[in-house]
Amino acid sequence: MRFAPSPTGMFHVGNARSALFNWVFARQSGGSLVLRIEDTDAERSKPEWVKGILDSMAWLGIDESQYEGPLFQSDYVGKHHEAIAKLLADGLAYYCDCSRDDVIARSGSVHKGYDGFCRDRGLEAAAGRAVRFRTPDEGTTVVVDLVRGKPEFENALIEDFVIARGDGSPVFLLANVVDDMIMGVTHVMRAEEHLPNAPKQQLIWDALGAQPPIWAHAPVLVNEKRQKLSKRRDRVALEDFRAEGYLAEAMRNYLMLLGWAPSGDREIVPWDEIVAEFRLEDVNPSPAFFDVKKLHAFNGDYIRAMTLDAFTEAVQPWLVSDDAPWSPEAYDPVVFARVAELVQTRIVLLAEVVEMVDFLFLAEPAVDEAAWAKAMGTEHAAGIIADTVERYSQIEWTVEALKTTLEDIGTDRGLKLGKTQAPVRVAITGRRVGLPLFESMHVLGRERTLDRLKAAAQKLG
């Protein structure tokens, strides 16, 4: 399993899906998952970017106990140069001093590839000269792919590709092959966009006298317009989904379904059953739609399936965060425990817990001005608030009494409960939707509830 650090610090959901496919296959086969960081590009290889990969994988459940590594490609540069030297000595590679402009000038087109101009010029090593692999002129290269069968590539259509740049540094096509040989890699599972590289790498394996791996190229992930997911256009960073409150278990389950389906027309499947059923041969090669709305629904289902204790623990990072809108001393875990079950059934992202309960821990509710305008703009709003203050000052403070009293206030005006409670809800919570109103007021307490109703009455004049 190979990953190049991203200068954006982002772990793409496509990489996450590839990691899961690799992990499950390794567990099924009794093999080892090898994690290699491709860090030969110094500009893309800062330690914090590598840490981002490891942290994202650990969040999914693939921690350091689940793989060999991380190994670093830069540690094998000497072996890369040895392989290049062998290919040169065997006449299977040669030096080339052609620039891209030279190739275009000879072909008259920017779309044509390298024309083999330097194949038989007998150039020696020199500054600025790249090394190209001499591809066979005839025959085909067959790639054994567990997802795509046995696609064939005509060798005559594969240009003599570069295996070392003009500065002498090996390119990833060569480096990956050598690393895989050293590490004893038997299966390579990666994204579909690497399929065109497979015949080139297989030719290098053959040229170095080694048995190539079995390949598996997973389908590309696309958005709702069936465009390949792009970090510039789409939500693709695993870290962002985690920060929004997606559960690792939900994300893991959903990603495994991008190209594969379990038995029994199911979608939400226990992880052990996924591991038992998954087969790379059953992965559909067609593009897979990364449906954020569906992932959203998945997450809600997973949240509702949690035990109350597990849910309470899961939302703590948002409740005690420095970014929470209330001061640290204002948060009361005992108060939250009283509404936790109500919250659990109403949110689909863990981060939504903040807006759901902020009215309990803020001195004054965070008022949604649009909600205020709609709820308080009716002819009955001021009267409802005034009557509620008067009656709530005297009743027993129970959920049932709070509800019955407000129903009576509405009946006096010919209003149903939904219309009656709208201005009261906004006065208490600042929003039109949220936790059940009467349970909310019961937890908030008489004094704070009346204070907010009186403040709303004063604001209404």
Side-chain angles (χ1 to χ4, degrees):
M1 185 170 60
R2 315 153 172 165
F3 291 121
S6 168
T8 63
M10 178 193 72
F11 194 64
H12 195 290
V13 290
N15 288 338
R17 195 268 306 265
S18 294
L20 289 170
F21 279 14
N22 276 273
W23 182 35
V24 172
F25 180 82
R27 292 181 66 176
Q28 289 177 336
S29 61
S32 297
L33 179 65
V34 178
L35 172 61
R36 185 169 71 238
I37 304 298
E38 300 186 334
D39 63 337
T40 50
D41 185 344
E43 293 183 358
R44 297 170 58 94
S45 302
K46 294 184 179 180
E48 59 267 29
W49 296 339
V50 174
K51 185 177 184 299
I53 294 174
L54 303 184
D55 287 349
S56 294
M57 289 179 56
W59 179 67
L60 285 174
I62 314 175
D63 63 24
E64 59 186 5
S65 69
Q66 303 290 318
Y67 54 78
E68 293 183 18
L71 307 175
F72 293 87
Q73 192 168 67
S74 57
D75 292 337
Y76 300 88
V77 171
K79 294 295 185 181
H80 303 159
H81 286 293
E82 289 178 14
I84 294 168
K86 180 180 184 338
L87 293 173
L88 285 166
D90 292 344
L92 298 174
Y94 58 91
Y95 287 102
C96 173
D97 61 2
C98 296
S99 67
R100 178 60 180 157
D101 289 341
D102 294 335
V103 175
I104 294 172
R106 287 196 298 269
S107 67
S109 171
V110 297
H111 302 295
K112 292 185 178 180
Y114 180 67
D115 55 3
F117 181 79
C118 292
R119 260 191 170 200
D120 301 311
R121 291 177 65 198
L123 296 177
E124 299 292 332
R129 290 180 179 176
V131 178
R132 290 184 179 271
F133 183 86
R134 186 187 295 266
T135 61
D137 295 324
E138 300 177 346
T140 59
T141 295
V142 179
V143 173
V144 178
D145 192 302
L146 293 178
V147 175
R148 300 168 190 281
K150 296 181 178 181
E152 297 186 8
F153 299 84
E154 293 185 40
N155 292 332
L157 299 179
I158 304 175
E159 69 177 17
D160 289 358
F161 52 90
V162 173
I163 57 175
R165 303 177 185 87
D167 62 3
S169 61
V171 302
F172 88 100
L173 286 173
L174 180 285
N176 281 354
V177 170
V178 174
D179 294 345
D180 287 350
M181 290 173 59
I182 294 171
M183 298 173 191
V185 172
T186 59
H187 294 74
V188 173
M189 280 152 274
R190 57 188 183 182
E192 177 184 349
E193 53 260 40
H194 289 288
L195 182 60
N197 294 325
K200 298 177 182 179
Q201 292 181 305
Q202 192 153 309
L203 287 170
I204 298 174
W205 277 86
D206 292 339
L208 293 175
Q211 180 69 33
I214 295 174
W215 309 89
H217 290 88
V220 66
L221 301 186
V222 297
N223 61 20
E224 67 277 1
K225 296 180 180 179
R226 296 307 185 266
Q227 301 167 320
K228 179 183 173 183
L229 286 186
S230 167
K231 64 184 180 182
R232 295 178 179 84
R233 178 187 57 235
D234 305 301
R235 295 171 58 199
V236 298
L238 192 71
E239 296 90 340
D240 290 345
F241 288 103
R242 179 182 181 182
E244 290 172 16
Y246 285 88
L247 294 170
E249 295 82 359
M251 178 64 75
R252 193 167 61 189
N253 185 164
Y254 181 70
L255 289 175
M256 288 297 295
L257 302 185
L258 297 179
W260 173 79
S263 63
D265 196 27
R266 299 174 298 162
E267 291 186 316
I268 294 182
V269 185
W271 182 246
D272 288 345
E273 294 182 26
I274 289 178
V275 173
E277 288 191 28
F278 177 77
R279 295 291 182 274
L280 279 169
E281 295 87 345
D282 296 334
V283 172
N284 190 325
S286 300
F289 174 28
F290 183 74
D291 187 347
V292 177
K293 292 181 180 178
K294 190 170 185 177
L295 172 61
H296 203 67
F298 257 59
N299 205 63
D301 288 339
Y302 266 89
I303 286 177
R304 289 186 287 277
M306 300 173 79
T307 66
L308 188 58
D309 286 345
F311 170 74
T312 299
E313 181 179 354
V315 295
Q316 290 307 303
W318 285 269
L319 295 174
V320 300
S321 167
D322 291 339
D323 295 327
W326 49 78
S327 60
E329 62 274 9
Y331 173 67
D332 187 339
V334 175
V335 171
F336 178 75
R338 295 177 63 186
V339 298
E341 188 171 2
L342 298 173
V343 175
Q344 184 178 1
T345 60
R346 286 166 171 79
I347 65 173
V348 293
L349 298 175
L350 297 179
E352 291 174 348
V353 68
V354 174
E355 288 193 358
M356 194 67 69
V357 302
D358 61 358
F359 73 96
L360 291 170
F361 306 119
L362 291 171
E364 298 177 356
V367 177
D368 180 331
E369 293 303 330
W372 176 276
K374 184 167 185 177
M376 302 302 186
T378 67
E379 59 180 315
H380 300 292
I384 289 172
I385 295 294
D387 283 359
T388 303
V389 170
E390 180 182 352
R391 300 193 194 186
Y392 276 8
S393 301
Q394 305 169 24
I395 65 170
E396 182 182 4
W397 202 256
T398 65
V399 171
E400 184 59 34
L402 290 165
K403 179 181 179 182
T404 301
T405 300
L406 198 58
E407 284 178 330
D408 291 343
I409 292 172
T411 299
D412 293 343
R413 291 168 170 77
L415 299 175
K416 293 183 177 180
L417 181 59
K419 295 287 187 180
T420 309
Q421 69 179 6
V424 176
R425 175 182 290 280
V426 173
I428 300 300
T429 70
R431 298 183 176 86
R432 294 179 58 204
V433 295
L435 298 181
L437 176 60
F438 305 107
E439 286 82 351
S440 296
M441 292 191 292
H442 184 248
V443 173
L444 188 64
R446 189 194 306 267
E447 182 179 352
R448 296 181 70 195
T449 297
L450 291 176
D451 284 345
R452 293 184 182 188
L453 289 169
K454 290 174 183 177
Q458 184 174 7
K459 186 175 179 180
L460 287 170

PDB file of all heavy atoms in Angstrom, residues 262-282:
ATOM      1  N   PRO A 262     -22.280  -6.265  -0.422  1.00  0.00           N
ATOM      2  CA  PRO A 262     -22.402  -7.480   0.372  1.00  0.00           C
ATOM      3  C   PRO A 262     -23.627  -8.283  -0.054  1.00  0.00           C
ATOM      4  O   PRO A 262     -24.448  -7.811  -0.847  1.00  0.00           O
ATOM      5  CB  PRO A 262     -22.547  -6.956   1.806  1.00  0.00           C
ATOM      6  CG  PRO A 262     -23.205  -5.620   1.628  1.00  0.00           C
ATOM      7  CD  PRO A 262     -22.674  -5.067   0.336  1.00  0.00           C
ATOM      8  N   SER A 263     -23.757  -9.461   0.476  1.00  0.00           N
ATOM      9  CA  SER A 263     -24.889 -10.312   0.140  1.00  0.00           C
ATOM     10  C   SER A 263     -26.162  -9.815   0.811  1.00  0.00           C
ATOM     11  O   SER A 263     -26.127  -9.027   1.757  1.00  0.00           O
ATOM     12  CB  SER A 263     -24.606 -11.748   0.599  1.00  0.00           C
ATOM     13  OG  SER A 263     -24.470 -11.784   2.020  1.00  0.00           O
ATOM     14  N   GLY A 264     -27.288 -10.283   0.292  1.00  0.00           N
ATOM     15  CA  GLY A 264     -28.565 -10.028   0.947  1.00  0.00           C
ATOM     16  C   GLY A 264     -29.117  -8.643   0.774  1.00  0.00           C
ATOM     17  O   GLY A 264     -29.953  -8.209   1.558  1.00  0.00           O
ATOM     18  N   ASP A 265     -28.686  -7.917  -0.255  1.00  0.00           N
ATOM     19  CA  ASP A 265     -29.221  -6.584  -0.518  1.00  0.00           C
ATOM     20  C   ASP A 265     -29.117  -5.689   0.719  1.00  0.00           C
ATOM     21  O   ASP A 265     -30.022  -4.927   1.045  1.00  0.00           O
ATOM     22  CB  ASP A 265     -30.676  -6.673  -0.975  1.00  0.00           C
ATOM     23  CG  ASP A 265     -31.162  -5.373  -1.619  1.00  0.00           C
ATOM     24  OD1 ASP A 265     -30.321  -4.644  -2.166  1.00  0.00           O
ATOM     25  OD2 ASP A 265     -32.368  -5.090  -1.537  1.00  0.00           O
ATOM     26  N   ARG A 266     -27.985  -5.811   1.425  1.00  0.00           N
ATOM     27  CA  ARG A 266     -27.756  -5.007   2.625  1.00  0.00           C
ATOM     28  C   ARG A 266     -26.771  -3.902   2.315  1.00  0.00           C
ATOM     29  O   ARG A 266     -26.020  -3.972   1.353  1.00  0.00           O
ATOM     30  CB  ARG A 266     -27.186  -5.870   3.755  1.00  0.00           C
ATOM     31  CG  ARG A 266     -28.080  -7.008   4.201  1.00  0.00           C
ATOM     32  CD  ARG A 266     -27.348  -7.870   5.212  1.00  0.00           C
ATOM     33  NE  ARG A 266     -26.152  -8.486   4.641  1.00  0.00           N
ATOM     34  CZ  ARG A 266     -25.144  -9.010   5.365  1.00  0.00           C
ATOM     35  NH1 ARG A 266     -25.204  -8.958   6.684  1.00  0.00           N
ATOM     36  NH2 ARG A 266     -24.104  -9.557   4.769  1.00  0.00           N
ATOM     37  N   GLU A 267     -26.774  -2.881   3.163  1.00  0.00           N
ATOM     38  CA  GLU A 267     -25.779  -1.821   3.047  1.00  0.00           C
ATOM     39  C   GLU A 267     -25.063  -1.593   4.375  1.00  0.00           C
ATOM     40  O   GLU A 267     -23.838  -1.469   4.401  1.00  0.00           O
ATOM     41  CB  GLU A 267     -26.431  -0.528   2.556  1.00  0.00           C
ATOM     42  CG  GLU A 267     -26.891  -0.605   1.112  1.00  0.00           C
ATOM     43  CD  GLU A 267     -27.390   0.726   0.602  1.00  0.00           C
ATOM     44  OE1 GLU A 267     -28.128   1.410   1.328  1.00  0.00           O
ATOM     45  OE2 GLU A 267     -27.028   1.095  -0.536  1.00  0.00           O
ATOM     46  N   ILE A 268     -25.819  -1.507   5.447  1.00  0.00           N
ATOM     47  CA  ILE A 268     -25.186  -1.367   6.754  1.00  0.00           C
ATOM     48  C   ILE A 268     -24.880  -2.771   7.273  1.00  0.00           C
ATOM     49  O   ILE A 268     -25.796  -3.543   7.583  1.00  0.00           O
ATOM     50  CB  ILE A 268     -26.084  -0.582   7.717  1.00  0.00           C
ATOM     51  CG1 ILE A 268     -26.223   0.851   7.202  1.00  0.00           C
ATOM     52  CG2 ILE A 268     -25.523  -0.604   9.131  1.00  0.00           C
ATOM     53  CD1 ILE A 268     -27.039   1.759   8.066  1.00  0.00           C
ATOM     54  N   VAL A 269     -23.594  -3.071   7.331  1.00  0.00           N
ATOM     55  CA  VAL A 269     -23.158  -4.442   7.602  1.00  0.00           C
ATOM     56  C   VAL A 269     -22.090  -4.420   8.688  1.00  0.00           C
ATOM     57  O   VAL A 269     -21.162  -3.593   8.632  1.00  0.00           O
ATOM     58  CB  VAL A 269     -22.568  -5.078   6.320  1.00  0.00           C
ATOM     59  CG1 VAL A 269     -22.223  -6.543   6.560  1.00  0.00           C
ATOM     60  CG2 VAL A 269     -23.551  -4.950   5.154  1.00  0.00           C
ATOM     61  N   PRO A 270     -22.167  -5.283   9.676  1.00  0.00           N
ATOM     62  CA  PRO A 270     -21.115  -5.362  10.691  1.00  0.00           C
ATOM     63  C   PRO A 270     -19.747  -5.599  10.045  1.00  0.00           C
ATOM     64  O   PRO A 270     -19.636  -6.327   9.050  1.00  0.00           O
ATOM     65  CB  PRO A 270     -21.547  -6.556  11.549  1.00  0.00           C
ATOM     66  CG  PRO A 270     -23.026  -6.635  11.371  1.00  0.00           C
ATOM     67  CD  PRO A 270     -23.278  -6.219   9.952  1.00  0.00           C
ATOM     68  N   TRP A 271     -18.738  -4.989  10.634  1.00  0.00           N
ATOM     69  CA  TRP A 271     -17.410  -5.034  10.017  1.00  0.00           C
ATOM     70  C   TRP A 271     -16.895  -6.466   9.864  1.00  0.00           C
ATOM     71  O   TRP A 271     -16.307  -6.804   8.829  1.00  0.00           O
ATOM     72  CB  TRP A 271     -16.440  -4.203  10.842  1.00  0.00           C
ATOM     73  CG  TRP A 271     -15.065  -4.163  10.254  1.00  0.00           C
ATOM     74  CD1 TRP A 271     -13.919  -4.677  10.773  1.00  0.00           C
ATOM     75  CD2 TRP A 271     -14.688  -3.578   8.999  1.00  0.00           C
ATOM     76  NE1 TRP A 271     -12.862  -4.458   9.932  1.00  0.00           N
ATOM     77  CE2 TRP A 271     -13.307  -3.778   8.838  1.00  0.00           C
ATOM     78  CE3 TRP A 271     -15.402  -2.908   8.005  1.00  0.00           C
ATOM     79  CZ2 TRP A 271     -12.625  -3.338   7.712  1.00  0.00           C
ATOM     80  CZ3 TRP A 271     -14.713  -2.472   6.881  1.00  0.00           C
ATOM     81  CH2 TRP A 271     -13.343  -2.674   6.743  1.00  0.00           C
ATOM     82  N   ASP A 272     -17.103  -7.306  10.831  1.00  0.00           N
ATOM     83  CA  ASP A 272     -16.626  -8.687  10.730  1.00  0.00           C
ATOM     84  C   ASP A 272     -17.246  -9.402   9.534  1.00  0.00           C
ATOM     85  O   ASP A 272     -16.592 -10.233   8.889  1.00  0.00           O
ATOM     86  CB  ASP A 272     -16.930  -9.456  12.018  1.00  0.00           C
ATOM     87  CG  ASP A 272     -16.051  -9.028  13.179  1.00  0.00           C
ATOM     88  OD1 ASP A 272     -15.031  -8.346  12.922  1.00  0.00           O
ATOM     89  OD2 ASP A 272     -16.377  -9.363  14.334  1.00  0.00           O
ATOM     90  N   GLU A 273     -18.496  -9.076   9.235  1.00  0.00           N
ATOM     91  CA  GLU A 273     -19.152  -9.703   8.092  1.00  0.00           C
ATOM     92  C   GLU A 273     -18.607  -9.153   6.780  1.00  0.00           C
ATOM     93  O   GLU A 273     -18.496  -9.878   5.788  1.00  0.00           O
ATOM     94  CB  GLU A 273     -20.665  -9.498   8.173  1.00  0.00           C
ATOM     95  CG  GLU A 273     -21.307 -10.229   9.350  1.00  0.00           C
ATOM     96  CD  GLU A 273     -22.815 -10.067   9.386  1.00  0.00           C
ATOM     97  OE1 GLU A 273     -23.407  -9.842   8.313  1.00  0.00           O
ATOM     98  OE2 GLU A 273     -23.390 -10.170  10.488  1.00  0.00           O
ATOM     99  N   ILE A 274     -18.259  -7.874   6.767  1.00  0.00           N
ATOM    100  CA  ILE A 274     -17.628  -7.302   5.576  1.00  0.00           C
ATOM    101  C   ILE A 274     -16.309  -8.001   5.298  1.00  0.00           C
ATOM    102  O   ILE A 274     -16.008  -8.393   4.160  1.00  0.00           O
ATOM    103  CB  ILE A 274     -17.419  -5.787   5.749  1.00  0.00           C
ATOM    104  CG1 ILE A 274     -18.755  -5.048   5.693  1.00  0.00           C
ATOM    105  CG2 ILE A 274     -16.476  -5.240   4.669  1.00  0.00           C
ATOM    106  CD1 ILE A 274     -18.658  -3.556   5.913  1.00  0.00           C
ATOM    107  N   VAL A 275     -15.507  -8.170   6.345  1.00  0.00           N
ATOM    108  CA  VAL A 275     -14.210  -8.833   6.194  1.00  0.00           C
ATOM    109  C   VAL A 275     -14.390 -10.254   5.689  1.00  0.00           C
ATOM    110  O   VAL A 275     -13.625 -10.742   4.847  1.00  0.00           O
ATOM    111  CB  VAL A 275     -13.432  -8.826   7.524  1.00  0.00           C
ATOM    112  CG1 VAL A 275     -12.169  -9.660   7.423  1.00  0.00           C
ATOM    113  CG2 VAL A 275     -13.094  -7.392   7.930  1.00  0.00           C
ATOM    114  N   ALA A 276     -15.414 -10.942   6.165  1.00  0.00           N
ATOM    115  CA  ALA A 276     -15.638 -12.331   5.765  1.00  0.00           C
ATOM    116  C   ALA A 276     -16.126 -12.438   4.322  1.00  0.00           C
ATOM    117  O   ALA A 276     -15.762 -13.382   3.608  1.00  0.00           O
ATOM    118  CB  ALA A 276     -16.655 -12.978   6.711  1.00  0.00           C
ATOM    119  N   GLU A 277     -16.918 -11.473   3.867  1.00  0.00           N
ATOM    120  CA  GLU A 277     -17.553 -11.576   2.552  1.00  0.00           C
ATOM    121  C   GLU A 277     -16.786 -10.921   1.418  1.00  0.00           C
ATOM    122  O   GLU A 277     -16.910 -11.320   0.259  1.00  0.00           O
ATOM    123  CB  GLU A 277     -18.954 -10.945   2.594  1.00  0.00           C
ATOM    124  CG  GLU A 277     -19.992 -11.741   3.348  1.00  0.00           C
ATOM    125  CD  GLU A 277     -21.389 -11.188   3.098  1.00  0.00           C
ATOM    126  OE1 GLU A 277     -21.617 -10.606   2.015  1.00  0.00           O
ATOM    127  OE2 GLU A 277     -22.239 -11.344   3.978  1.00  0.00           O
ATOM    128  N   PHE A 278     -16.024  -9.892   1.713  1.00  0.00           N
ATOM    129  CA  PHE A 278     -15.407  -9.095   0.649  1.00  0.00           C
ATOM    130  C   PHE A 278     -14.484  -9.938  -0.232  1.00  0.00           C
ATOM    131  O   PHE A 278     -13.685 -10.736   0.261  1.00  0.00           O
ATOM    132  CB  PHE A 278     -14.613  -7.945   1.263  1.00  0.00           C
ATOM    133  CG  PHE A 278     -13.886  -7.102   0.252  1.00  0.00           C
ATOM    134  CD1 PHE A 278     -14.569  -6.169  -0.500  1.00  0.00           C
ATOM    135  CD2 PHE A 278     -12.519  -7.234   0.067  1.00  0.00           C
ATOM    136  CE1 PHE A 278     -13.908  -5.380  -1.431  1.00  0.00           C
ATOM    137  CE2 PHE A 278     -11.846  -6.451  -0.858  1.00  0.00           C
ATOM    138  CZ  PHE A 278     -12.547  -5.529  -1.614  1.00  0.00           C
ATOM    139  N   ARG A 279     -14.613  -9.748  -1.539  1.00  0.00           N
ATOM    140  CA  ARG A 279     -13.718 -10.375  -2.505  1.00  0.00           C
ATOM    141  C   ARG A 279     -13.349  -9.349  -3.559  1.00  0.00           C
ATOM    142  O   ARG A 279     -14.226  -8.703  -4.143  1.00  0.00           O
ATOM    143  CB  ARG A 279     -14.389 -11.581  -3.174  1.00  0.00           C
ATOM    144  CG  ARG A 279     -14.707 -12.736  -2.244  1.00  0.00           C
ATOM    145  CD  ARG A 279     -13.435 -13.435  -1.754  1.00  0.00           C
ATOM    146  NE  ARG A 279     -13.745 -14.569  -0.889  1.00  0.00           N
ATOM    147  CZ  ARG A 279     -13.956 -14.490   0.414  1.00  0.00           C
ATOM    148  NH1 ARG A 279     -13.886 -13.304   1.024  1.00  0.00           N
ATOM    149  NH2 ARG A 279     -14.219 -15.556   1.135  1.00  0.00           N
ATOM    150  N   LEU A 280     -12.076  -9.233  -3.823  1.00  0.00           N
ATOM    151  CA  LEU A 280     -11.651  -8.285  -4.853  1.00  0.00           C
ATOM    152  C   LEU A 280     -12.234  -8.662  -6.207  1.00  0.00           C
ATOM    153  O   LEU A 280     -12.547  -7.796  -7.030  1.00  0.00           O
ATOM    154  CB  LEU A 280     -10.121  -8.261  -4.932  1.00  0.00           C
ATOM    155  CG  LEU A 280      -9.420  -7.400  -3.882  1.00  0.00           C
ATOM    156  CD1 LEU A 280      -7.931  -7.671  -3.883  1.00  0.00           C
ATOM    157  CD2 LEU A 280      -9.687  -5.919  -4.119  1.00  0.00           C
ATOM    158  N   GLU A 281     -12.407  -9.966  -6.427  1.00  0.00           N
ATOM    159  CA  GLU A 281     -12.980 -10.414  -7.701  1.00  0.00           C
ATOM    160  C   GLU A 281     -14.415  -9.945  -7.891  1.00  0.00           C
ATOM    161  O   GLU A 281     -14.919  -9.905  -9.020  1.00  0.00           O
ATOM    162  CB  GLU A 281     -12.935 -11.942  -7.787  1.00  0.00           C
ATOM    163  CG  GLU A 281     -11.527 -12.530  -7.834  1.00  0.00           C
ATOM    164  CD  GLU A 281     -10.933 -12.760  -6.447  1.00  0.00           C
ATOM    165  OE1 GLU A 281     -11.485 -12.212  -5.459  1.00  0.00           O
ATOM    166  OE2 GLU A 281      -9.929 -13.483  -6.349  1.00  0.00           O
ATOM    167  N   ASP A 282     -15.078  -9.584  -6.793  1.00  0.00           N
ATOM    168  CA  ASP A 282     -16.468  -9.121  -6.870  1.00  0.00           C
ATOM    169  C   ASP A 282     -16.589  -7.609  -7.003  1.00  0.00           C
ATOM    170  O   ASP A 282     -17.711  -7.078  -7.094  1.00  0.00           O
ATOM    171  CB  ASP A 282     -17.243  -9.570  -5.623  1.00  0.00           C
ATOM    172  CG  ASP A 282     -17.351 -11.076  -5.527  1.00  0.00           C
ATOM    173  OD1 ASP A 282     -17.299 -11.743  -6.576  1.00  0.00           O
ATOM    174  OD2 ASP A 282     -17.477 -11.596  -4.394  1.00  0.00           O
TER     175      ASP A 282
END
